[in-house]
Coordinates of all heavy atoms in Angstrom, one line a residue:
M965 N -63.2 -22.6 28.7 CA -63.0 -21.3 28.1 C -62.1 -20.4 29.0 O -61.2 -19.7 28.5 CB -64.4 -20.5 28.0 CG -64.3 -19.3 27.1 SD -63.8 -19.7 25.4 CE -63.3 -18.1 24.8
K966 N -62.2 -20.6 30.3 CA -61.3 -19.9 31.2 C -59.8 -20.4 30.9 O -58.9 -19.6 31.0 CB -61.7 -20.2 32.6 CG -61.8 -18.9 33.4 CD -62.3 -19.3 34.8 CE -62.3 -18.1 35.7 NZ -62.7 -18.5 37.1
Y967 N -59.7 -21.7 30.6 CA -58.3 -22.2 30.4 C -57.6 -21.6 29.2 O -56.4 -21.4 29.2 CB -58.4 -23.7 30.3 CG -58.7 -24.4 31.6 CD1 -59.9 -25.0 31.8 CD2 -57.7 -24.4 32.6 CE1 -60.2 -25.7 33.0 CE2 -58.0 -25.0 33.8 CZ -59.2 -25.6 34.0 OH -59.5 -26.2 35.2
L968 N -58.4 -21.3 28.2 CA -57.9 -20.7 27.0 C -57.2 -19.3 27.3 O -56.1 -19.0 26.9 CB -59.0 -20.5 25.9 CG -59.2 -21.7 25.0 CD1 -60.3 -21.4 24.0 CD2 -57.9 -22.1 24.3
V969 N -58.0 -18.5 28.1 CA -57.4 -17.2 28.5 C -56.2 -17.4 29.3 O -55.1 -16.7 29.1 CB -58.5 -16.4 29.3 CG1 -57.9 -15.1 29.8 CG2 -59.7 -16.2 28.5
L970 N -56.2 -18.4 30.2 CA -55.0 -18.6 31.1 C -53.8 -19.0 30.2 O -52.7 -18.5 30.4 CB -55.4 -19.8 32.1 CG -54.3 -20.0 33.1 CD1 -54.2 -18.8 34.1 CD2 -54.7 -21.3 33.9
I971 N -54.1 -19.9 29.2 CA -53.0 -20.4 28.4 C -52.4 -19.2 27.6 O -51.2 -19.0 27.4 CB -53.5 -21.5 27.4 CG1 -53.6 -22.8 28.3 CG2 -52.5 -21.7 26.3 CD1 -54.4 -23.8 27.5
A972 N -53.4 -18.3 27.1 CA -52.9 -17.2 26.3 C -52.1 -16.2 27.2 O -51.0 -15.8 26.7 CB -54.1 -16.4 25.8
V973 N -52.5 -16.0 28.4 CA -51.7 -15.1 29.3 C -50.3 -15.8 29.5 O -49.3 -15.1 29.5 CB -52.5 -14.9 30.6 CG1 -51.6 -14.3 31.6 CG2 -53.7 -14.1 30.3
L974 N -50.3 -17.0 29.8 CA -49.0 -17.7 30.0 C -48.1 -17.6 28.8 O -46.9 -17.4 28.9 CB -49.3 -19.2 30.4 CG -49.8 -19.4 31.8 CD1 -50.1 -20.9 32.1 CD2 -48.7 -18.9 32.8
A975 N -48.7 -17.8 27.6 CA -47.9 -17.7 26.4 C -47.3 -16.3 26.2 O -46.1 -16.2 25.9 CB -48.8 -18.1 25.2
V976 N -48.1 -15.3 26.5 CA -47.6 -13.9 26.4 C -46.5 -13.7 27.4 O -45.4 -13.1 27.0 CB -48.8 -12.9 26.6 CG1 -48.2 -11.5 26.7 CG2 -49.7 -13.0 25.4
V977 N -46.7 -14.1 28.6 CA -45.7 -13.9 29.6 C -44.4 -14.7 29.2 O -43.3 -14.2 29.3 CB -46.2 -14.4 31.0 CG1 -45.0 -14.6 32.0 CG2 -47.2 -13.5 31.5
Y978 N -44.6 -15.9 28.7 CA -43.4 -16.7 28.3 C -42.7 -16.0 27.2 O -41.4 -15.9 27.2 CB -43.9 -18.1 27.9 CG -42.8 -18.9 27.3 CD1 -41.8 -19.4 28.1 CD2 -42.8 -19.2 25.9 CE1 -40.8 -20.2 27.6 CE2 -41.8 -20.0 25.4 CZ -40.8 -20.5 26.2 OH -39.8 -21.2 25.7
L979 N -43.4 -15.5 26.2 CA -42.8 -14.8 25.1 C -42.0 -13.5 25.5 O -40.9 -13.3 25.1 CB -43.8 -14.4 24.0 CG -44.3 -15.6 23.2 CD1 -45.4 -15.2 22.3 CD2 -43.2 -16.3 22.4
L980 N -42.7 -12.8 26.4 CA -42.0 -11.6 26.9 C -40.7 -11.9 27.7 O -39.7 -11.3 27.5 CB -42.9 -10.8 27.8 CG -44.1 -10.0 27.1 CD1 -45.0 -9.4 28.2 CD2 -43.5 -8.9 26.3
W981 N -40.8 -13.0 28.5 CA -39.6 -13.4 29.3 C -38.5 -13.8 28.4 O -37.3 -13.5 28.5 CB -40.1 -14.5 30.2 CG -38.9 -15.2 30.9 CD1 -38.3 -14.7 32.0 CD2 -38.4 -16.5 30.6 NE1 -37.3 -15.6 32.3 CE2 -37.3 -16.7 31.5 CE3 -38.6 -17.5 29.6 CZ2 -36.6 -17.9 31.5 CZ3 -37.9 -18.6 29.6 CH2 -36.8 -18.8 30.5
R982 N -38.9 -14.6 27.3 CA -37.9 -15.0 26.4 C -37.2 -13.8 25.6 O -36.0 -13.8 25.5 CB -38.5 -16.0 25.3 CG -37.8 -17.3 25.4 CD -38.4 -18.3 24.5 NE -38.6 -17.7 23.1 CZ -38.7 -18.4 22.0 NH1 -38.7 -19.7 22.1 NH2 -38.8 -17.9 20.8
A983 N -38.0 -12.9 25.2 CA -37.5 -11.7 24.5 C -36.5 -10.9 25.4 O -35.5 -10.5 25.0 CB -38.6 -10.8 24.0
Q984 N -36.9 -10.8 26.7 CA -36.1 -10.0 27.6 C -34.8 -10.8 27.8 O -33.7 -10.2 27.9 CB -36.8 -9.8 28.9 CG -36.2 -8.7 29.8 CD -37.0 -8.5 31.0 OE1 -38.0 -9.1 31.2 NE2 -36.6 -7.5 31.8
R985 N -34.9 -12.1 27.9 CA -33.7 -12.9 28.2 C -32.7 -12.8 27.0 O -31.5 -12.7 27.2 CB -34.0 -14.3 28.4 CG -33.2 -14.9 29.6 CD -33.7 -16.3 29.9 NE -33.2 -17.2 28.8 CZ -32.7 -18.4 29.1 NH1 -32.7 -18.9 30.3 NH2 -32.3 -19.2 28.1
R986 N -33.3 -12.8 25.8 CA -32.4 -12.7 24.6 C -31.7 -11.4 24.6 O -30.6 -11.2 24.2 CB -33.3 -12.9 23.4 CG -32.4 -13.4 22.2 CD -33.3 -13.7 21.0 NE -34.4 -14.6 21.3 CZ -35.5 -14.6 20.5 NH1 -35.6 -13.9 19.4 NH2 -36.5 -15.4 20.8
R987 N -32.5 -10.3 25.0 CA -31.9 -8.9 25.0 C -30.7 -8.9 26.0 O -29.7 -8.3 25.8 CB -32.9 -7.9 25.3 CG -32.7 -6.6 24.5 CD -33.8 -5.6 24.9 NE -35.1 -6.2 24.8 CZ -36.2 -5.9 25.5 NH1 -36.0 -5.0 26.5 NH2 -37.3 -6.5 25.4
Q988 N -30.9 -9.5 27.1 CA -29.8 -9.5 28.1 C -28.6 -10.3 27.6 O -27.5 -9.9 27.8 CB -30.4 -10.2 29.4 CG -31.1 -9.2 30.3 CD -31.6 -9.9 31.5 OE1 -31.6 -11.1 31.6 NE2 -32.2 -9.2 32.5
D989 N -28.9 -11.4 26.9 CA -27.7 -12.2 26.4 C -27.0 -11.3 25.4 O -25.7 -11.3 25.4 CB -28.3 -13.4 25.7 CG -28.7 -14.5 26.7 OD1 -28.3 -14.3 27.9 OD2 -29.3 -15.5 26.3
A990 N -27.7 -10.6 24.6 CA -27.0 -9.8 23.6 C -26.1 -8.7 24.2 O -25.0 -8.4 23.8 CB -28.0 -9.1 22.6
S991 N -26.7 -8.0 25.3 CA -25.9 -7.0 25.9 C -24.8 -7.5 26.7 O -23.7 -6.9 26.9 CB -26.8 -6.1 26.8 OG -27.3 -6.9 27.9
E992 N -24.9 -8.7 27.3 CA -23.8 -9.3 28.1 C -22.7 -9.7 27.2 O -21.5 -9.6 27.6 CB -24.4 -10.5 28.8 CG -25.0 -10.1 30.2 CD -25.7 -11.3 30.8 OE1 -25.4 -12.4 30.4 OE2 -26.5 -11.0 31.7
S993 N -22.9 -10.1 26.0 CA -21.8 -10.5 25.1 C -21.1 -9.3 24.5 O -20.5 -9.5 23.4 CB -22.3 -11.5 24.1 OG -23.2 -10.8 23.2
G994 N -21.3 -8.1 25.0 CA -20.6 -7.0 24.5 C -21.2 -6.4 23.2 O -20.5 -5.7 22.5
G995 N -22.4 -6.8 22.9 CA -23.0 -6.3 21.7 C -22.2 -6.7 20.4 O -22.1 -6.0 19.5
G996 N -21.7 -7.9 20.5 CA -20.8 -8.4 19.5 C -21.5 -9.0 18.3 O -21.6 -10.3 18.3
T997 N -21.9 -8.3 17.4 CA -22.4 -8.9 16.1 C -21.3 -9.1 15.2 O -21.4 -9.9 14.3 CB -23.5 -8.0 15.5 OG1 -23.0 -6.7 15.4 CG2 -24.8 -8.0 16.3
R998 N -20.2 -8.4 15.4 CA -19.1 -8.6 14.5 C -18.4 -9.9 14.8 O -18.3 -10.2 16.0 CB -18.1 -7.4 14.5 CG -17.3 -7.4 15.9 CD -16.9 -6.0 16.2 NE -17.1 -5.8 17.6 CZ -16.3 -5.0 18.4 NH1 -15.5 -4.2 17.8 NH2 -16.4 -4.9 19.6
P999 N -17.8 -10.5 13.9 CA -17.1 -11.8 14.2 C -15.8 -11.6 15.0 O -15.0 -10.7 14.7 CB -16.8 -12.4 12.8 CG -16.8 -11.2 11.9 CD -17.7 -10.2 12.5
T1000 N -15.7 -12.4 16.1 CA -14.5 -12.3 16.9 C -13.5 -13.4 16.3 O -13.9 -14.3 15.6 CB -14.8 -12.6 18.3 OG1 -15.4 -13.9 18.4 CG2 -15.7 -11.6 18.9
A1001 N -12.3 -13.2 16.7 CA -11.3 -14.2 16.3 C -11.2 -14.5 14.9 O -11.4 -15.6 14.4 CB -11.5 -15.4 17.2
R1002 N -11.1 -13.5 14.1 CA -11.0 -13.7 12.6 C -9.6 -14.3 12.3 O -8.6 -13.8 12.9 CB -11.2 -12.5 11.8 CG -11.8 -12.7 10.5 CD -12.3 -11.5 9.8 NE -11.4 -10.3 10.1 CZ -11.3 -9.3 9.3 NH1 -11.9 -9.3 8.2 NH2 -10.5 -8.3 9.7
P1003 N -9.4 -15.3 11.5 CA -8.1 -15.8 11.2 C -7.2 -14.7 10.5 O -7.8 -13.8 9.9 CB -8.4 -17.0 10.2 CG -9.7 -16.7 9.7 CD -10.5 -16.0 10.8
K1004 N -6.0 -14.9 10.6 CA -5.1 -13.8 10.1 C -5.0 -13.9 8.6 O -5.6 -14.7 7.9 CB -3.7 -14.0 10.7 CG -3.6 -13.4 12.1 CD -2.2 -13.1 12.5 CE -2.0 -13.1 14.0 NZ -0.6 -13.5 14.3
A1005 N -4.1 -13.1 8.1 CA -4.1 -12.9 6.6 C -3.7 -14.2 5.9 O -4.2 -14.4 4.8 CB -3.1 -11.8 6.2
D1006 N -2.9 -15.0 6.5 CA -2.5 -16.3 5.8 C -3.6 -17.3 5.8 O -3.7 -18.1 6.7 CB -1.2 -16.8 6.4 CG -1.3 -17.0 7.9 OD1 -2.3 -16.4 8.5 OD2 -0.5 -17.7 8.5
D1007 N -4.5 -17.1 4.9 CA -5.7 -18.0 4.9 C -5.5 -19.2 4.0 O -6.2 -19.5 3.1 CB -6.9 -17.2 4.3 CG -6.6 -16.4 3.1 OD1 -5.4 -16.5 2.7 OD2 -7.5 -15.8 2.5
G1008 N -4.4 -19.8 4.2 CA -4.1 -21.1 3.6 C -3.7 -21.0 2.1 O -3.8 -22.0 1.4
S1009 N -3.3 -19.8 1.7 CA -2.9 -19.7 0.3 C -1.4 -20.3 0.3 O -0.6 -19.9 1.1 CB -2.9 -18.3 -0.2 OG -1.8 -17.6 0.4
P1010 N -1.2 -21.2 -0.6 CA 0.1 -21.9 -0.6 C 1.2 -21.0 -1.1 O 2.4 -21.3 -0.8 CB -0.1 -23.1 -1.5 CG -1.2 -22.6 -2.5 CD -2.1 -21.7 -1.6
Q1011 N 0.9 -19.9 -1.9 CA 2.0 -19.2 -2.5 C 2.5 -18.1 -1.6 O 1.7 -17.4 -0.9 CB 1.5 -18.6 -3.8 CG 1.7 -19.5 -4.9 CD 1.3 -18.9 -6.3 OE1 0.4 -18.2 -6.4 NE2 2.1 -19.2 -7.3
D1012 N 3.8 -17.9 -1.6 CA 4.4 -16.8 -0.8 C 4.3 -15.5 -1.6 O 4.7 -15.4 -2.7 CB 5.9 -17.2 -0.6 CG 6.5 -16.4 0.5 OD1 5.7 -15.7 1.2 OD2 7.7 -16.5 0.7
M1013 N 3.6 -14.6 -1.0 CA 3.3 -13.3 -1.7 C 4.3 -12.2 -1.2 O 4.7 -12.1 0.0 CB 1.9 -12.8 -1.4 CG 0.8 -13.8 -1.8 SD 0.8 -14.0 -3.6 CE -0.1 -12.6 -4.1
V1014 N 4.8 -11.5 -2.2 CA 5.7 -10.3 -1.9 C 5.0 -9.1 -2.4 O 4.1 -9.1 -3.2 CB 7.1 -10.6 -2.5 CG1 7.7 -11.8 -1.9 CG2 7.0 -10.6 -4.0
Q1015 N 5.5 -7.9 -1.9 CA 5.0 -6.7 -2.3 C 6.0 -5.9 -3.0 O 7.1 -5.7 -2.5 CB 4.5 -5.9 -1.1 CG 3.7 -4.6 -1.5 CD 3.1 -4.0 -0.3 OE1 3.6 -4.2 0.8 NE2 2.1 -3.2 -0.5
C1016 N 5.7 -5.3 -4.2 CA 6.6 -4.5 -4.9 C 6.7 -3.1 -4.2 O 5.7 -2.5 -3.9 CB 6.0 -4.3 -6.3 SG 6.9 -3.0 -7.3
P1017 N 7.9 -2.7 -3.8 CA 8.0 -1.4 -3.1 C 7.7 -0.2 -4.0 O 7.5 0.9 -3.4 CB 9.5 -1.4 -2.6 CG 10.2 -2.4 -3.5 CD 9.2 -3.4 -4.0
V1018 N 7.6 -0.4 -5.3 CA 7.4 0.8 -6.1 C 5.9 1.0 -6.3 O 5.4 2.2 -6.1 CB 8.0 0.6 -7.5 CG1 7.7 1.7 -8.5 CG2 9.5 0.4 -7.4
C1019 N 5.1 0.0 -6.6 CA 3.7 0.2 -6.9 C 2.8 -0.5 -5.9 O 1.6 -0.4 -6.0 CB 3.4 -0.3 -8.3 SG 3.6 -2.1 -8.5
A1020 N 3.4 -1.1 -4.8 CA 2.7 -1.8 -3.8 C 1.8 -2.9 -4.3 O 0.9 -3.3 -3.6 CB 1.9 -0.8 -3.0
L1021 N 2.2 -3.5 -5.4 CA 1.4 -4.6 -5.9 C 1.9 -5.9 -5.2 O 3.1 -6.1 -5.0 CB 1.7 -4.7 -7.4 CG 1.0 -5.9 -8.2 CD1 -0.5 -5.5 -8.5 CD2 1.7 -6.2 -9.4
H1022 N 0.9 -6.7 -4.9 CA 1.3 -8.0 -4.4 C 1.4 -9.1 -5.5 O 0.5 -9.1 -6.3 CB 0.2 -8.5 -3.3 CG 0.3 -7.7 -2.0 ND1 -0.3 -6.5 -1.8 CD2 1.0 -8.0 -0.9 CE1 0.0 -6.1 -0.6 NE2 0.8 -7.0 0.0
L1023 N 2.4 -9.9 -5.4 CA 2.5 -10.9 -6.5 C 3.3 -12.1 -5.9 O 3.9 -12.0 -4.8 CB 3.3 -10.3 -7.7 CG 4.8 -10.0 -7.5 CD1 5.5 -10.0 -8.8 CD2 5.0 -8.7 -6.8
P1024 N 3.1 -13.2 -6.5 CA 3.8 -14.4 -6.0 C 5.3 -14.2 -6.1 O 5.8 -13.6 -7.0 CB 3.3 -15.5 -6.9 CG 2.1 -15.0 -7.5 CD 2.2 -13.6 -7.6
R1025 N 6.0 -14.8 -5.1 CA 7.4 -14.6 -5.0 C 8.1 -15.2 -6.3 O 9.1 -14.6 -6.7 CB 8.0 -15.3 -3.8 CG 9.4 -15.1 -3.5 CD 9.9 -15.9 -2.3 NE 9.5 -15.3 -1.1 CZ 10.2 -14.3 -0.5 NH1 11.3 -13.9 -1.0 NH2 9.7 -13.8 0.6
N1026 N 7.6 -16.2 -6.8 CA 8.3 -16.8 -8.0 C 8.1 -16.0 -9.2 O 8.7 -16.3 -10.2 CB 7.8 -18.3 -8.2 CG 6.3 -18.4 -8.4 OD1 5.6 -17.4 -8.4 ND2 5.9 -19.6 -8.5
E1027 N 7.2 -15.0 -9.2 CA 7.0 -14.1 -10.3 C 7.7 -12.8 -10.1 O 7.7 -11.9 -11.0 CB 5.5 -13.9 -10.6 CG 4.8 -15.1 -11.1 CD 3.3 -14.9 -11.3 OE1 2.9 -13.7 -11.5 OE2 2.6 -15.8 -11.3
A1028 N 8.3 -12.6 -9.0 CA 8.9 -11.3 -8.7 C 10.3 -11.2 -9.3 O 10.9 -12.2 -9.6 CB 9.0 -11.1 -7.1
V1029 N 10.8 -10.0 -9.4 CA 12.1 -9.7 -10.0 C 12.9 -9.2 -8.8 O 12.6 -8.2 -8.2 CB 12.0 -8.7 -11.1 CG1 13.4 -8.5 -11.7 CG2 11.0 -9.2 -12.2
A1030 N 14.1 -9.9 -8.6 CA 14.9 -9.5 -7.5 C 16.0 -8.6 -8.0 O 16.5 -8.7 -9.1 CB 15.5 -10.7 -6.8
D1031 N 16.4 -7.6 -7.1 CA 17.6 -6.8 -7.4 C 18.8 -7.3 -6.6 O 18.6 -8.3 -5.8 CB 17.3 -5.3 -7.1 CG 17.2 -5.1 -5.6 OD1 17.3 -6.0 -4.8 OD2 17.0 -3.9 -5.3
P1032 N 20.0 -6.8 -6.9 CA 21.1 -7.4 -6.2 C 21.0 -7.3 -4.6 O 21.7 -8.1 -4.0 CB 22.3 -6.5 -6.7 CG 21.8 -6.0 -8.0 CD 20.3 -5.9 -7.9
Q1033 N 20.2 -6.4 -4.1 CA 20.1 -6.3 -2.7 C 19.1 -7.3 -2.1 O 18.8 -7.4 -0.9 CB 19.7 -4.9 -2.2 CG 20.8 -3.9 -2.3 CD 21.0 -3.3 -3.7 OE1 20.0 -3.1 -4.4 NE2 22.2 -3.2 -4.1
G1034 N 18.4 -8.1 -3.0 CA 17.5 -9.1 -2.6 C 16.1 -8.5 -2.5 O 15.2 -9.2 -2.1
R1035 N 15.8 -7.3 -2.9 CA 14.5 -6.7 -2.9 C 13.7 -7.3 -4.1 O 14.3 -7.5 -5.1 CB 14.5 -5.2 -2.9 CG 14.8 -4.6 -1.5 CD 14.9 -3.2 -1.6 NE 16.0 -2.8 -2.4 CZ 16.7 -1.6 -2.4 NH1 16.3 -0.7 -1.5 NH2 17.6 -1.3 -3.2
L1036 N 12.4 -7.4 -3.9 CA 11.6 -8.0 -4.9 C 10.6 -7.0 -5.6 O 10.0 -6.3 -4.8 CB 10.8 -9.2 -4.3 CG 11.7 -10.4 -3.9 CD1 11.0 -11.3 -2.9 CD2 12.3 -11.1 -5.0
Y1037 N 10.6 -7.0 -6.9 CA 9.7 -6.1 -7.6 C 8.8 -6.8 -8.5 O 9.1 -8.0 -8.8 CB 10.6 -5.1 -8.4 CG 11.5 -4.3 -7.6 CD1 12.8 -4.8 -7.3 CD2 11.1 -3.1 -7.0 CE1 13.7 -4.1 -6.5 CE2 12.0 -2.4 -6.2 CZ 13.3 -2.9 -5.9 OH 14.1 -2.2 -5.1
C1038 N 7.8 -6.2 -9.0 CA 6.8 -6.8 -9.8 C 7.3 -6.9 -11.2 O 6.7 -7.8 -12.0 CB 5.4 -6.0 -9.7 SG 5.5 -4.4 -10.5
S1039 N 8.2 -6.1 -11.6 CA 8.6 -6.1 -13.0 C 10.0 -5.5 -13.1 O 10.5 -4.8 -12.2 CB 7.7 -5.3 -13.9 OG 7.7 -3.9 -13.4
P1040 N 10.8 -5.8 -14.2 CA 12.1 -5.2 -14.3 C 12.0 -3.7 -14.4 O 13.0 -3.0 -14.0 CB 12.6 -5.9 -15.7 CG 11.8 -7.1 -15.8 CD 10.5 -6.8 -15.2
E1041 N 10.9 -3.2 -14.9 CA 10.8 -1.7 -15.0 C 10.8 -1.1 -13.6 O 11.5 -0.1 -13.4 CB 9.5 -1.3 -15.8 CG 9.5 -1.6 -17.2 CD 9.2 -3.1 -17.5 OE1 8.7 -3.8 -16.7 OE2 9.5 -3.5 -18.7
H1042 N 10.1 -1.7 -12.7 CA 10.0 -1.1 -11.4 C 11.4 -1.4 -10.6 O 11.8 -0.5 -9.8 CB 8.9 -1.7 -10.6 CG 7.6 -1.1 -11.0 ND1 6.4 -1.5 -10.5 CD2 7.3 0.0 -11.8 CE1 5.4 -0.7 -11.0 NE2 6.0 0.1 -11.8
R1043 N 12.0 -2.5 -10.9 CA 13.3 -2.7 -10.3 C 14.3 -1.6 -10.8 O 15.0 -1.0 -10.0 CB 13.9 -4.0 -10.7 CG 15.2 -4.3 -10.1 CD 15.7 -5.7 -10.5 NE 16.0 -5.8 -11.9 CZ 16.4 -6.9 -12.5 NH1 16.7 -7.9 -11.8 NH2 16.6 -6.9 -13.8
A1044 N 14.2 -1.2 -12.1 CA 15.1 -0.2 -12.7 C 14.7 1.2 -12.1 O 15.6 2.0 -11.7 CB 15.0 -0.2 -14.2
S1045 N 13.4 1.4 -11.9 CA 13.0 2.8 -11.4 C 13.4 2.9 -9.9 O 13.8 4.0 -9.5 CB 11.5 2.9 -11.6 OG 10.8 2.1 -10.6
A1046 N 13.4 1.8 -9.2 CA 13.9 1.9 -7.8 C 15.4 2.1 -7.8 O 15.9 2.7 -6.9 CB 13.5 0.6 -7.1
D1047 N 16.1 1.5 -8.7 CA 17.6 1.7 -8.7 C 17.9 3.1 -9.0 O 18.9 3.6 -8.5 CB 18.2 0.8 -9.9 CG 18.3 -0.6 -9.4 OD1 18.2 -0.9 -8.1 OD2 18.6 -1.5 -10.2
R1048 N 17.1 3.8 -9.8 CA 17.5 5.1 -10.2 C 17.3 6.1 -9.1 O 17.9 7.2 -9.1 CB 16.5 5.6 -11.4 CG 17.2 5.4 -12.7 CD 16.4 5.9 -13.9 NE 15.7 4.8 -14.5 CZ 14.4 4.8 -14.6 NH1 13.6 5.7 -14.1 NH2 13.8 3.8 -15.3
R1049 N 16.5 5.8 -8.0 CA 16.3 6.7 -7.0 C 17.6 6.8 -6.1 O 18.2 5.8 -5.8 CB 15.2 6.2 -6.1 CG 13.9 6.8 -6.6 CD 12.8 6.5 -5.6 NE 11.6 5.8 -6.3 CZ 10.7 5.2 -5.6 NH1 10.7 5.2 -4.3 NH2 9.7 4.6 -6.2
Ligands
ZN2441 ZN1 5.7 -2.6 -9.2

């Protein structure tokens, strides 16, 4: 019966020690729950995306409309409205 108490005490001490160690690990790693080293925007999408300077829409390059200066727009309407400026 004495051994049961001893085991219980050891178990409590062990659990407290483990909890404290885990807290120390968390604080030592800079409290970093947020993911580090996130990959950049090019997440393996094969298509080349361009942005329309008029409406800031992103669209594949092969669907964009180019003006004589080589700028790319989402539609002929936006190309024309940029020309008018
Ligand atoms: Zn546009």
Side-chain angles (χ1 to χ4, degrees):
M965 194 60 198
K966 229 175 173 183
Y967 287 112
L968 274 180
V969 176
L970 188 67
I971 287 167
V973 168
L974 282 177
V976 168
V977 168
Y978 173 71
L979 286 175
L980 284 174
W981 171 76
R982 240 177 50 157
Q984 196 174 3
R985 222 176 75 140
R986 205 178 307 161
R987 217 178 310 146
Q988 274 178 354
D989 282 350
S991 65
E992 272 170 18
S993 66
T997 49
R998 72 206 142 150
T1000 59
R1002 208 166 38 149
K1004 278 203 208 153
D1006 51 345
D1007 49 356
S1009 78
Q1011 274 187 318
D1012 197 6
M1013 300 297 280
V1014 298
Q1015 187 175 22
C1016 171
V1018 177
C1019 65
L1021 181 82
H1022 285 88
L1023 69 159
R1025 183 181 285 275
N1026 60 1
E1027 293 178 20
V1029 182
D1031 70 357
Q1033 285 84 37
R1035 284 175 296 204
L1036 295 163
Y1037 300 90
C1038 68
S1039 61
E1041 289 82 16
H1042 281 176
R1043 182 179 62 179
S1045 73
D1047 277 347
R1048 261 184 261 123
R1049 274 191 232 163

